[in-house]
Amino acid sequence: MEITGKVVLVGQTESVGQNGFTKRLLVVETAEQYPQKLPIDFVKDKTSLLDNLQVGQEVKVQINLRGSESNGRWFSQIQGWKIE
């Protein structure tokens, strides 16, 4: 899948857990009739893809949708893997 829009936020790389798992947040605002600000996670070696991005820059992000369940609650996640 693909999301196109303007960069609103480029987060810092975070270490999660004790195994050295890294993630980084990118927020993109879509250019639809009702624009959405979508948080997209980049993990592990993909965090470096955000190094040269600037707020306001137009991007096209290739994503995967992820879902999981924990203690009867369901969660969804947008995970990025490529930026143009």
Side-chain angles (χ1 to χ4, degrees):
M1 298 180 84
E2 180 178 285
I3 295 174
T4 303
K6 280 188 182 179
V7 173
V8 174
L9 172 83
V10 179
Q12 298 295 317
T13 302
E14 301 176 29
S15 222
V16 180
Q18 298 175 2
N19 295 327
F21 179 82
T22 57
K23 73 175 189 174
R24 194 168 180 187
L25 178 67
L26 172 68
V27 179
V28 174
E29 183 173 21
T30 63
E32 303 166 321
Q33 180 179 359
Y34 301 103
Q36 299 292 309
K37 292 181 180 167
L38 302 172
I40 305 167
D41 290 322
F42 285 77
V43 296
K44 300 181 182 177
D45 61 327
K46 301 298 182 191
T47 59
S48 63
L49 295 174
L50 307 182
D51 288 346
N52 297 317
L53 292 183
Q54 301 294 321
V55 171
Q57 183 176 349
E58 287 285 333
V59 292
K60 187 185 300 183
V61 183
Q62 300 296 322
I63 63 162
N64 291 325
L65 296 176
R66 303 278 185 218
S68 60
E69 182 269 336
S70 176
N71 299 320
R73 295 191 60 195
W74 289 91
F75 302 90
S76 58
Q77 178 188 31
I78 303 172
Q79 193 171 85
W81 55 273
K82 182 179 178 184
I83 299 176
E84 297 175 23

